Amino acid sequence: MNVITKIEREHMRLDMPAFKAGDTVKVHLRIIEGEKERIQVFQGAVLRFRNGTTDSTFTVRKISDGIGVERVFAVHSPYIERIEVVTEGKVRRSRIYYLRDLKGKAARIKSKNAW
């Protein structure tokens, strides 16, 4: 086995749930402000999941006070406390950037459990 592969395997997190684009997730982040530390929750729809080894990322979009906020997270980041999958979405694409242009009811993602 390659030396780089061994080092990457040591830094990978195995406690992450399986999720994909279209799912609604809660990302619990560890925020450090000075000497204080707190947990902040960022809940939104996953626009993109970029798979890889230690460099895999996912983009989450939420609406905050009528303004769309997107954030890119590293999957294996030590600042992520945990990830909860709230709902599984039914989408036909792996990158749902078209949600940026939609508003209101049109921006909803159908649930996978709906008939």
Side-chain angles (χ1 to χ4, degrees):
M1 189 181 292
N2 194 351
V3 176
I4 295 173
T5 310
K6 286 182 181 179
I7 294 170
E8 284 181 345
R9 286 223 173 131
E10 291 174 8
H11 295 286
M12 289 177 69
R13 295 179 60 172
L14 303 174
D15 60 340
M16 293 294 159
F19 60 93
K20 58 183 180 14
D23 295 350
T24 303
V25 295
K26 284 184 181 178
V27 183
H28 296 260
L29 287 167
R30 201 173 315 133
I31 305 292
I32 300 169
E33 296 171 336
E35 294 180 7
K36 294 181 181 178
E37 185 176 313
R38 64 184 174 90
I39 301 294
Q40 184 177 18
V41 180
F42 192 92
Q43 179 176 347
V46 178
L47 293 185
R48 174 188 183 184
F49 187 84
R50 183 174 163 269
N51 215 348
T53 52
T54 53
D55 62 340
S56 47
T57 60
F58 61 99
T59 305
V60 180
R61 178 181 176 85
K62 75 173 184 176
I63 305 297
S64 179
D65 293 326
I67 299 171
V69 179
E70 290 184 13
R71 188 157 177 190
V72 180
F73 297 101
V75 175
H76 304 290
S77 171
Y79 291 109
I80 294 179
E81 188 72 27
R82 69 179 191 272
I83 299 174
E84 293 178 34
V85 179
V86 179
T87 58
E88 292 185 8
K90 182 180 177 184
V91 293
R92 296 171 66 177
R93 297 183 181 200
S94 63
R95 297 190 176 120
I96 52 175
Y97 295 138
Y98 60 87
L99 280 182
R100 294 173 177 163
D101 301 326
L102 301 178
K103 293 181 173 119
K105 283 188 175 182
R108 288 185 299 181
I109 299 173
K110 289 186 178 179
S111 177
K112 203 172 198 179
N113 301 341
W115 299 86

